[in-house]
Amino acid sequence: MFAALGPVPDGITLFLDDQPIIACPGDTVAVCMLRAGIPYNRLSPVSGAPRLPYCMIGHCFECLVEIDGIANQQACLTVVRDGMKIRRQLGAPLALKHPEV
Ligand code: FES
């Protein structure tokens, strides 16, 4: 579906659902996941339908994933970092409890 135009230069390692994947420094999480052939990045909390990034510019919110333990992060706007831990969202994420409540 998607492929790099050349070899991945000095790739960094991310972990998607605990599986390592190689990314290019400067890429977004969405680009990295599409290049890796990940079939979906979340399941709709309403229908359970698999969803993939659509607009790649921060408008549609189809690319939401959990990044380093924080849910609902826009993968298309988040630049990869070495060791980043990404989880696909399967339905509605749990609401975060405010630390002072
Ligand atoms: S792909 Fe549309 S907001 Fe990320």
Coordinates of all heavy atoms in Angstrom, one line a residue:
M1 N 0.8 -1.2 0.0 CA 0.0 0.0 0.0 C 0.9 1.2 0.0 O 0.8 2.1 -0.9 CB -0.9 0.0 1.2 CG -1.8 1.2 1.2 SD -2.8 1.6 2.7 CE -3.5 0.3 3.4
F2 N 1.7 1.4 1.0 CA 2.7 2.5 1.1 C 4.1 2.0 1.2 O 4.3 0.9 1.8 CB 2.4 3.4 2.3 CG 1.1 4.2 2.2 CD1 -0.1 3.6 2.7 CD2 1.1 5.4 1.7 CE1 -1.3 4.3 2.6 CE2 -0.1 6.1 1.6 CZ -1.3 5.5 2.1
A3 N 5.0 2.7 0.6 CA 6.4 2.2 0.6 C 7.3 3.5 0.6 O 6.9 4.5 0.0 CB 6.7 1.4 -0.6
A4 N 8.4 3.4 1.3 CA 9.4 4.4 1.3 C 10.0 4.5 -0.1 O 10.1 3.5 -0.8 CB 10.5 4.1 2.4
L5 N 10.4 5.7 -0.5 CA 11.0 5.9 -1.8 C 12.4 5.4 -1.8 O 12.9 5.1 -2.9 CB 11.0 7.4 -2.2 CG 9.6 8.0 -2.3 CD1 9.7 9.5 -2.6 CD2 8.8 7.3 -3.5
G6 N 13.0 5.2 -0.7 CA 14.3 4.6 -0.6 C 14.5 3.9 0.7 O 13.5 3.7 1.4
P7 N 15.7 3.5 1.0 CA 15.9 2.8 2.3 C 15.7 3.8 3.4 O 15.8 5.0 3.3 CB 17.4 2.4 2.2 CG 18.0 3.3 1.1 CD 16.9 3.7 0.2
V8 N 15.2 3.2 4.5 CA 14.9 4.0 5.7 C 16.3 4.4 6.4 O 17.1 3.6 6.7 CB 14.1 3.1 6.8 CG1 13.9 3.9 8.1 CG2 12.8 2.7 6.2
P9 N 16.6 5.7 6.4 CA 17.9 6.2 6.9 C 17.9 6.2 8.4 O 17.0 6.7 9.1 CB 18.0 7.6 6.4 CG 16.5 8.1 6.2 CD 15.7 6.8 5.9
D10 N 18.9 5.5 9.0 CA 19.1 5.5 10.4 C 17.7 5.3 11.1 O 17.3 6.2 11.9 CB 19.8 6.8 10.9 CG 21.1 6.9 10.3 OD1 21.8 5.9 10.1 OD2 21.6 8.0 10.0
G11 N 17.0 4.2 10.8 CA 15.7 4.0 11.4 C 15.7 4.0 12.9 O 16.7 3.7 13.5
I12 N 14.6 4.4 13.5 CA 14.4 4.3 14.9 C 13.4 3.3 15.2 O 12.6 2.9 14.3 CB 14.1 5.7 15.5 CG1 12.8 6.2 14.9 CG2 15.2 6.7 15.4 CD1 12.3 7.5 15.5
T13 N 13.3 2.8 16.4 CA 12.4 1.7 16.7 C 11.2 2.2 17.6 O 11.5 2.9 18.6 CB 13.1 0.6 17.5 OG1 14.2 0.1 16.6 CG2 12.2 -0.6 17.7
L14 N 10.0 1.9 17.1 CA 8.8 2.2 17.9 C 8.3 0.8 18.3 O 8.6 -0.2 17.7 CB 7.8 2.9 17.1 CG 8.1 4.0 16.2 CD1 6.9 4.5 15.4 CD2 8.8 5.1 17.0
F15 N 7.3 0.9 19.2 CA 6.6 -0.4 19.6 C 5.1 -0.2 19.4 O 4.6 0.7 20.1 CB 7.0 -0.8 21.0 CG 8.4 -1.1 21.2 CD1 9.3 -0.1 21.5 CD2 8.9 -2.3 20.9 CE1 10.7 -0.3 21.6 CE2 10.3 -2.6 21.0 CZ 11.2 -1.6 21.4
L16 N 4.6 -0.9 18.5 CA 3.1 -0.9 18.2 C 2.5 -2.1 18.8 O 2.8 -3.2 18.4 CB 2.9 -0.8 16.7 CG 1.4 -0.9 16.4 CD1 0.6 0.3 16.9 CD2 1.2 -1.0 14.9
D17 N 1.7 -2.0 19.8 CA 1.1 -3.1 20.5 C 2.2 -4.1 20.9 O 2.1 -5.3 20.7 CB 0.0 -3.8 19.7 CG -1.2 -2.8 19.5 OD1 -1.4 -1.9 20.3 OD2 -1.9 -3.0 18.5
D18 N 3.3 -3.6 21.4 CA 4.5 -4.3 21.9 C 5.3 -5.0 20.8 O 6.3 -5.7 21.1 CB 4.0 -5.4 22.9 CG 3.4 -4.8 24.2 OD1 3.8 -3.7 24.6 OD2 2.4 -5.4 24.7
Q19 N 5.0 -4.7 19.5 CA 5.8 -5.3 18.4 C 6.7 -4.2 17.9 O 6.2 -3.1 17.6 CB 4.9 -5.8 17.3 CG 4.0 -7.0 17.8 CD 4.8 -8.2 18.3 OE1 5.7 -8.6 17.6 NE2 4.4 -8.6 19.5
P20 N 8.0 -4.4 17.7 CA 8.8 -3.4 17.2 C 8.6 -3.1 15.7 O 8.4 -4.0 14.9 CB 10.3 -3.9 17.4 CG 10.1 -5.4 17.4 CD 8.7 -5.7 18.0
I21 N 8.6 -1.8 15.3 CA 8.5 -1.4 13.9 C 9.6 -0.3 13.7 O 9.8 0.5 14.6 CB 7.1 -1.0 13.5 CG1 6.6 0.1 14.3 CG2 6.2 -2.1 13.4 CD1 5.2 0.7 13.8
I22 N 10.1 -0.3 12.5 CA 11.2 0.7 12.2 C 10.5 1.9 11.6 O 9.6 1.8 10.7 CB 12.2 0.1 11.3 CG1 12.9 -1.1 11.9 CG2 13.3 1.1 10.9 CD1 13.6 -0.9 13.2
A23 N 11.0 3.1 12.0 CA 10.4 4.4 11.5 C 11.6 5.3 11.0 O 12.7 5.1 11.5 CB 9.6 5.1 12.5
C24 N 11.3 6.2 10.2 CA 12.3 7.2 9.7 C 12.2 8.4 10.7 O 11.0 8.9 11.0 CB 11.9 7.7 8.3 SG 12.1 6.5 7.1
P25 N 13.3 8.9 11.2 CA 13.2 10.1 12.0 C 12.5 11.2 11.2 O 12.8 11.4 10.0 CB 14.7 10.4 12.2 CG 15.4 9.1 12.0 CD 14.6 8.4 11.0
G26 N 11.6 11.9 11.9 CA 10.9 13.0 11.2 C 9.5 12.6 10.7 O 8.7 13.4 10.4
D27 N 9.3 11.3 10.5 CA 8.0 10.8 10.1 C 7.0 11.0 11.2 O 7.3 11.1 12.4 CB 8.0 9.4 9.7 CG 8.5 9.1 8.3 OD1 8.7 10.1 7.6 OD2 8.7 7.9 8.0
T28 N 5.7 11.0 10.8 CA 4.7 11.0 11.8 C 4.3 9.6 12.2 O 4.7 8.6 11.4 CB 3.4 11.7 11.4 OG1 2.9 11.0 10.3 CG2 3.7 13.2 11.0
V29 N 3.7 9.4 13.3 CA 3.2 8.0 13.7 C 2.3 7.4 12.6 O 2.4 6.2 12.2 CB 2.5 8.1 15.0 CG1 1.9 6.7 15.4 CG2 3.5 8.5 16.1
A30 N 1.4 8.2 12.0 CA 0.5 7.7 11.0 C 1.3 7.2 9.8 O 1.0 6.2 9.2 CB -0.5 8.8 10.6
V31 N 2.2 8.0 9.3 CA 3.0 7.6 8.2 C 3.8 6.3 8.5 O 3.8 5.3 7.6 CB 4.1 8.7 7.8 CG1 5.1 8.1 6.8 CG2 3.3 9.9 7.2
C32 N 4.3 6.2 9.6 CA 5.1 4.9 10.0 C 4.1 3.7 10.0 O 4.5 2.7 9.5 CB 5.7 5.2 11.4 SG 6.4 3.7 12.1
M33 N 2.9 3.9 10.6 CA 2.0 2.8 10.6 C 1.5 2.4 9.2 O 1.4 1.2 8.9 CB 0.8 3.2 11.5 CG 1.2 3.3 13.0 SD -0.2 3.9 14.0 CE -1.2 2.4 14.1
L34 N 1.2 3.4 8.4 CA 0.8 3.0 7.0 C 1.9 2.3 6.3 O 1.6 1.3 5.6 CB 0.4 4.3 6.3 CG -0.9 5.0 6.8 CD1 -1.1 6.4 6.2 CD2 -2.1 4.1 6.4
R35 N 3.1 2.8 6.4 CA 4.2 2.2 5.7 C 4.5 0.7 6.2 O 4.8 -0.2 5.4 CB 5.5 3.0 5.9 CG 6.7 2.4 5.1 CD 8.0 3.1 5.3 NE 7.9 4.5 4.9 CZ 8.2 5.5 5.7 NH1 8.6 5.3 6.9 NH2 8.1 6.7 5.3
A36 N 4.2 0.5 7.5 CA 4.4 -0.8 8.1 C 3.2 -1.8 7.7 O 3.3 -3.0 8.0 CB 4.5 -0.7 9.6
G37 N 2.2 -1.2 7.0 CA 1.1 -2.1 6.6 C 0.1 -2.5 7.7 O -0.6 -3.5 7.6
I38 N 0.1 -1.6 8.7 CA -0.9 -1.9 9.8 C -2.3 -1.7 9.3 O -2.6 -0.7 8.7 CB -0.6 -0.9 11.0 CG1 0.8 -0.9 11.4 CG2 -1.6 -1.1 12.1 CD1 1.3 -2.3 11.9
P39 N -3.2 -2.7 9.5 CA -4.5 -2.7 8.8 C -5.5 -1.7 9.4 O -6.4 -1.4 8.7 CB -5.0 -4.2 8.9 CG -4.3 -4.7 10.1 CD -2.9 -4.0 10.2
Y40 N -5.3 -1.3 10.6 CA -6.2 -0.3 11.2 C -5.5 0.3 12.4 O -4.6 -0.4 13.0 CB -7.5 -0.9 11.6 CG -7.4 -1.9 12.6 CD1 -7.5 -1.6 14.0 CD2 -7.3 -3.3 12.3 CE1 -7.4 -2.6 15.0 CE2 -7.2 -4.3 13.2 CZ -7.3 -3.9 14.6 OH -7.1 -4.9 15.5
N41 N -5.8 1.5 12.7 CA -5.2 2.1 13.9 C -6.1 2.2 15.1 O -5.7 2.4 16.2 CB -4.6 3.5 13.6 CG -5.6 4.5 13.2 OD1 -6.2 4.3 12.1 ND2 -5.9 5.5 13.9
R42 N -7.4 2.0 14.8 CA -8.4 2.0 15.9 C -9.7 1.3 15.4 O -9.8 1.1 14.2 CB -8.7 3.4 16.4 CG -9.5 4.3 15.4 CD -9.8 5.7 16.0 NE -10.5 6.5 15.0 CZ -11.9 6.6 15.1 NH1 -12.5 6.1 16.1 NH2 -12.5 7.3 14.2
L43 N -10.5 1.0 16.4 CA -11.8 0.4 16.0 C -12.8 1.5 16.5 O -12.7 2.0 17.6 CB -12.1 -0.9 16.7 CG -11.1 -2.0 16.3 CD1 -11.5 -3.3 17.1 CD2 -11.2 -2.3 14.8
S44 N -13.8 1.8 15.7 CA -14.8 2.7 16.0 C -15.5 2.4 17.3 O -16.0 1.2 17.4 CB -15.9 2.8 14.9 OG -17.0 3.5 15.3
P45 N -15.7 3.3 18.3 CA -16.4 3.0 19.5 C -17.9 2.8 19.2 O -18.6 2.2 20.1 CB -16.1 4.1 20.4 CG -15.6 5.2 19.5 CD -15.1 4.6 18.3
V46 N -18.4 3.2 18.1 CA -19.8 3.1 17.8 C -20.1 1.8 17.1 O -21.0 1.0 17.5 CB -20.3 4.3 16.9 CG1 -21.8 4.1 16.6 CG2 -20.1 5.6 17.7
S47 N -19.4 1.5 16.0 CA -19.8 0.4 15.2 C -18.7 -0.8 15.3 O -19.0 -1.9 14.8 CB -19.9 0.8 13.7 OG -18.6 1.2 13.2
G48 N -17.6 -0.5 15.8 CA -16.5 -1.5 15.8 C -15.7 -1.6 14.5 O -14.9 -2.4 14.4
A49 N -16.1 -0.7 13.5 CA -15.4 -0.7 12.2 C -14.0 -0.3 12.4 O -13.6 0.6 13.1 CB -16.1 0.2 11.3
P50 N -13.1 -1.0 11.6 CA -11.7 -0.6 11.6 C -11.5 0.8 10.9 O -12.2 1.1 9.9 CB -11.0 -1.7 10.8 CG -12.0 -2.3 10.0 CD -13.3 -2.1 10.7
R51 N -10.6 1.6 11.5 CA -10.4 2.9 10.9 C -8.9 3.1 10.6 O -8.0 2.6 11.3 CB -10.8 4.0 11.9 CG -12.2 3.8 12.5 CD -13.3 3.7 11.5 NE -13.5 5.0 10.8 CZ -14.3 5.1 9.8 NH1 -15.1 4.1 9.4 NH2 -14.4 6.3 9.2
L52 N -8.6 3.9 9.6 CA -7.3 4.3 9.2 C -7.2 5.8 9.1 O -8.2 6.5 8.9 CB -6.9 3.7 7.9 CG -6.5 2.2 7.8 CD1 -6.4 1.7 6.4 CD2 -5.1 2.1 8.5
P53 N -6.0 6.4 9.1 CA -5.8 7.8 8.9 C -6.5 8.2 7.6 O -6.4 7.4 6.6 CB -4.3 8.0 8.9 CG -3.8 6.9 9.7 CD -4.7 5.7 9.4
Y54 N -7.1 9.4 7.5 CA -7.8 9.8 6.3 C -7.2 11.1 5.7 O -6.7 11.2 4.6 CB -9.2 9.9 6.6 CG -10.1 10.4 5.4 CD1 -10.2 9.5 4.3 CD2 -10.7 11.6 5.4 CE1 -11.0 9.9 3.2 CE2 -11.5 12.0 4.3 CZ -11.6 11.1 3.2 OH -12.3 11.5 2.1
C55 N -7.2 12.2 6.6 CA -6.8 13.5 6.0 C -5.3 13.7 6.1 O -4.8 14.5 5.3 CB -7.6 14.6 6.7 SG -7.1 14.9 8.4
M56 N -4.7 13.2 7.1 CA -3.3 13.4 7.4 C -2.9 14.8 7.7 O -1.7 15.2 7.6 CB -2.4 12.9 6.2 CG -2.6 11.4 5.9 SD -2.1 10.3 7.3 CE -0.3 10.2 7.0
I57 N -3.8 15.6 8.1 CA -3.5 17.0 8.4 C -4.3 17.5 9.7 O -4.4 18.7 9.9 CB -3.9 18.0 7.3 CG1 -5.4 17.9 6.8 CG2 -2.9 17.8 6.1 CD1 -5.8 18.9 5.8
G58 N -4.7 16.5 10.5 CA -5.3 16.9 11.8 C -6.8 17.3 11.8 O -7.2 17.8 12.8
H59 N -7.5 17.0 10.7 CA -8.9 17.5 10.7 C -9.9 16.4 11.0 O -10.9 16.6 11.6 CB -9.3 18.0 9.3 CG -8.6 19.4 9.1 ND1 -8.9 20.1 8.0 CD2 -7.7 20.0 9.8 CE1 -8.2 21.2 8.0 NE2 -7.4 21.2 9.1
C60 N -9.7 15.1 10.6 CA -10.7 14.1 10.7 C -10.7 13.3 12.0 O -11.7 12.6 12.3 CB -10.6 13.2 9.5 SG -9.2 12.0 9.5
F61 N -9.7 13.2 12.7 CA -9.6 12.4 13.9 C -9.7 10.9 13.7 O -10.1 10.2 14.6 CB -10.5 13.0 15.0 CG -10.1 14.3 15.5 CD1 -10.4 15.5 14.8 CD2 -9.4 14.4 16.7 CE1 -10.0 16.7 15.3 CE2 -9.0 15.6 17.2 CZ -9.3 16.8 16.5
E62 N -9.5 10.5 12.5 CA -9.6 9.0 12.2 C -8.3 8.3 12.7 O -8.3 7.1 12.8 CB -9.8 8.7 10.7 CG -11.2 9.2 10.2 CD -12.3 8.3 10.8 OE1 -12.1 7.4 11.6 OE2 -13.5 8.6 10.4
C63 N -7.3 9.0 13.0 CA -6.0 8.4 13.3 C -5.7 8.3 14.8 O -4.6 8.0 15.1 CB -4.9 9.3 12.6 SG -4.8 10.9 13.3
L64 N -6.7 8.4 15.6 CA -6.4 8.4 17.0 C -5.8 7.1 17.5 O -6.3 6.0 17.2 CB -7.7 8.7 17.8 CG -8.4 10.0 17.6 CD1 -9.7 10.1 18.4 CD2 -7.4 11.2 17.8
V65 N -4.7 7.2 18.3 CA -4.1 6.1 18.9 C -3.6 6.5 20.3 O -3.7 7.7 20.7 CB -2.8 5.7 18.1 CG1 -3.2 5.1 16.8 CG2 -1.8 6.8 18.0
E66 N -3.2 5.5 21.1 CA -2.7 5.7 22.4 C -1.1 5.8 22.2 O -0.5 4.9 21.6 CB -3.0 4.6 23.4 CG -2.4 4.8 24.7 CD -2.7 3.6 25.6 OE1 -3.9 3.3 25.8 OE2 -1.7 3.0 26.1
I67 N -0.5 6.9 22.7 CA 0.9 7.1 22.6 C 1.5 7.3 24.0 O 1.1 8.2 24.7 CB 1.3 8.3 21.7 CG1 0.8 8.1 20.3 CG2 2.8 8.5 21.7 CD1 1.0 9.2 19.3
D68 N 2.4 6.4 24.3 CA 3.0 6.5 25.7 C 2.0 6.6 26.8 O 2.2 7.4 27.7 CB 4.1 7.6 25.7 CG 5.3 7.3 24.8 OD1 5.6 6.1 24.5 OD2 5.9 8.3 24.3
G69 N 0.9 5.8 26.7 CA 0.0 5.7 27.7 C -1.1 6.8 27.7 O -2.0 6.8 28.6
I70 N -1.1 7.7 26.7 CA -2.1 8.8 26.6 C -3.0 8.5 25.4 O -2.5 8.5 24.3 CB -1.4 10.2 26.5 CG1 -0.5 10.4 27.7 CG2 -2.5 11.3 26.4 CD1 0.3 11.7 27.7
A71 N -4.3 8.3 25.7 CA -5.2 8.0 24.6 C -5.5 9.2 23.8 O -5.3 10.4 24.1 CB -6.5 7.4 25.2
N72 N -6.2 8.9 22.6 CA -6.7 10.0 21.7 C -5.7 10.9 21.2 O -5.9 12.1 21.0 CB -7.8 10.7 22.4 CG -9.0 9.9 22.7 OD1 -9.3 9.0 21.9 ND2 -9.7 10.1 23.7
Q73 N -4.5 10.4 20.9 CA -3.4 11.2 20.2 C -3.6 11.1 18.7 O -3.8 10.0 18.2 CB -2.0 10.8 20.7 CG -1.8 10.8 22.2 CD -2.0 12.2 22.7 OE1 -1.2 13.1 22.4 NE2 -2.9 12.4 23.6
Q74 N -3.4 12.2 18.0 CA -3.5 12.2 16.6 C -2.2 11.8 16.0 O -1.2 12.5 16.0 CB -3.9 13.6 16.1 CG -5.3 14.0 16.4 CD -5.6 15.4 15.9 OE1 -5.2 16.3 16.6 NE2 -6.3 15.6 14.8
A75 N -2.3 10.6 15.4 CA -1.0 10.0 14.9 C -0.5 10.8 13.7 O 0.7 10.8 13.5 CB -1.3 8.5 14.4
C76 N -1.4 11.5 13.0 CA -0.9 12.2 11.8 C -0.1 13.5 12.2 O 0.5 14.1 11.4 CB -2.0 12.5 10.8 SG -3.2 13.8 11.5
L77 N -0.3 13.9 13.4 CA 0.4 15.2 13.9 C 1.5 14.9 14.9 O 2.1 15.8 15.3 CB -0.6 16.1 14.5 CG -1.8 16.6 13.7 CD1 -2.7 17.5 14.5 CD2 -1.3 17.2 12.4
T78 N 1.8 13.6 15.2 CA 2.8 13.3 16.2 C 4.0 12.7 15.5 O 3.9 11.7 14.8 CB 2.2 12.3 17.2 OG1 1.0 12.8 17.7 CG2 3.2 12.0 18.3
V79 N 5.1 13.4 15.7 CA 6.4 12.9 15.1 C 7.0 11.8 16.0 O 6.9 11.9 17.2 CB 7.4 14.1 15.0 CG1 8.8 13.6 14.5 CG2 6.8 15.2 14.1
V80 N 7.5 10.8 15.3 CA 8.0 9.6 16.0 C 9.2 10.0 16.9 O 10.0 10.9 16.5 CB 8.4 8.5 15.0 CG1 7.1 8.0 14.3 CG2 9.4 8.9 14.0
R81 N 9.4 9.2 17.9 CA 10.6 9.3 18.8 C 11.0 7.9 19.1 O 10.2 6.9 19.1 CB 10.2 10.0 20.1 CG 9.8 11.4 20.1 CD 9.6 12.0 21.5 NE 8.8 11.1 22.3 CZ 7.5 11.2 22.4 NH1 6.8 12.0 21.6 NH2 6.8 10.4 23.2
D82 N 12.3 7.7 19.2 CA 12.8 6.4 19.5 C 12.2 5.8 20.8 O 12.2 6.5 21.8 CB 14.4 6.4 19.6 CG 15.0 5.1 19.4 OD1 14.5 4.2 18.7 OD2 16.1 4.9 20.1
G83 N 11.8 4.6 20.7 CA 11.2 3.9 21.9 C 9.8 4.2 22.2 O 9.2 3.8 23.2
M84 N 9.1 5.0 21.3 CA 7.7 5.4 21.5 C 6.9 4.2 21.6 O 7.1 3.2 20.9 CB 7.3 6.3 20.4 CG 6.0 6.9 20.4 SD 5.7 7.9 18.9 CE 6.0 9.5 19.6
K85 N 5.9 4.2 22.5 CA 5.0 3.0 22.7 C 3.6 3.4 22.2 O 3.0 4.3 22.8 CB 5.0 2.5 24.1 CG 6.3 1.9 24.5 CD 6.3 1.5 26.0 CE 7.6 0.8 26.4 NZ 8.8 1.5 26.0
I86 N 3.1 2.7 21.2 CA 1.9 3.1 20.5 C 0.9 1.9 20.7 O 1.3 0.7 20.6 CB 2.1 3.4 19.0 CG1 3.1 4.5 18.9 CG2 0.8 3.7 18.3 CD1 3.7 4.5 17.5
R87 N -0.3 2.2 21.0 CA -1.3 1.1 21.1 C -2.5 1.6 20.2 O -2.9 2.7 20.3 CB -1.8 0.9 22.5 CG -0.7 0.3 23.4 CD -1.3 -0.4 24.6 NE -0.3 -1.2 25.3 CZ 0.1 -2.4 24.9 NH1 -0.4 -3.0 23.9 NH2 1.1 -2.9 25.6
R88 N -3.0 0.6 19.5 CA -4.2 0.9 18.7 C -5.4 0.9 19.7 O -5.4 0.2 20.7 CB -4.5 -0.2 17.7 CG -3.4 -0.2 16.6 CD -3.7 -1.2 15.5 NE -3.3 -2.5 16.0 CZ -3.3 -3.6 15.3 NH1 -3.8 -3.5 14.0 NH2 -3.0 -4.7 15.7
Q89 N -6.3 1.8 19.4 CA -7.5 2.0 20.3 C -8.6 1.1 19.8 O -9.1 1.2 18.7 CB -8.0 3.4 20.3 CG -6.9 4.3 21.0 CD -7.4 5.7 21.3 OE1 -6.7 6.5 21.9 NE2 -8.6 6.1 20.8
L90 N -9.0 0.2 20.7 CA -10.1 -0.8 20.4 C -11.4 -0.4 21.1 O -11.6 -0.7 22.2 CB -9.6 -2.2 20.8 CG -8.2 -2.6 20.3 CD1 -7.9 -4.0 20.8 CD2 -8.2 -2.6 18.8
G91 N -12.1 0.5 20.4 CA -13.3 1.0 21.0 C -13.0 2.3 21.7 O -12.0 2.9 21.5
A92 N -13.9 2.6 22.6 CA -13.8 3.9 23.4 C -12.7 3.7 24.4 O -12.6 2.7 25.1 CB -15.1 4.2 24.1
P93 N -11.7 4.7 24.5 CA -10.7 4.6 25.5 C -11.3 5.0 26.8 O -12.3 5.6 27.0 CB -9.7 5.7 25.1 CG -10.5 6.7 24.3 CD -11.6 5.9 23.6
L94 N -10.6 4.5 27.9 CA -11.1 4.8 29.2 C -10.9 6.3 29.5 O -9.9 6.9 29.0 CB -10.3 4.0 30.2 CG -10.5 2.5 30.2 CD1 -9.6 1.8 31.2 CD2 -12.0 2.2 30.5
A95 N -11.8 6.9 30.2 CA -11.6 8.4 30.5 C -10.5 8.5 31.5 O -10.3 7.6 32.4 CB -12.9 8.9 31.1
L96 N -9.7 9.5 31.4 CA -8.6 9.7 32.3 C -9.2 10.4 33.6 O -10.0 11.3 33.5 CB -7.5 10.6 31.7 CG -6.8 10.0 30.6 CD1 -5.8 11.0 30.0 CD2 -6.0 8.8 31.0
K97 N -8.8 10.0 34.7 CA -9.2 10.6 36.0 C -8.2 11.7 36.3 O -7.0 11.5 36.2 CB -9.2 9.5 37.1 CG -9.7 10.1 38.4 CD -9.7 9.0 39.4 CE -10.2 9.5 40.7 NZ -10.2 8.5 41.8
H98 N -8.8 12.9 36.6 CA -7.9 14.0 36.9 C -7.2 13.7 38.2 O -7.8 13.1 39.2 CB -8.8 15.3 37.1 CG -8.0 16.5 37.2 ND1 -7.3 16.9 38.3 CD2 -7.7 17.4 36.2 CE1 -6.6 18.0 38.1 NE2 -6.9 18.4 36.9
P99 N -5.9 14.0 38.3 CA -5.1 13.6 39.5 C -5.6 14.2 40.8 O -5.3 13.7 41.9 CB -3.7 14.1 39.1 CG -3.8 14.9 37.9 CD -5.1 14.6 37.3
E100 N -6.3 15.3 40.7 CA -6.8 16.0 42.0 C -8.2 15.5 42.4 O -8.7 16.1 43.3 CB -6.7 17.5 41.8 CG -5.3 18.0 41.6 CD -5.2 19.5 41.3 OE1 -6.2 20.2 41.4 OE2 -4.1 20.0 41.0
V101 N -8.8 14.6 41.6 CA -10.2 14.2 41.9 C -10.1 12.9 42.7 O -9.3 12.1 42.5 CB -11.0 14.0 40.7 CG1 -12.4 13.4 41.0 CG2 -11.1 15.3 39.9
Ligands
FES1 S1 -5.6 11.5 9.7 FE1 -7.1 13.0 10.0 S2 -6.7 13.9 11.9 FE2 -5.2 12.5 11.6

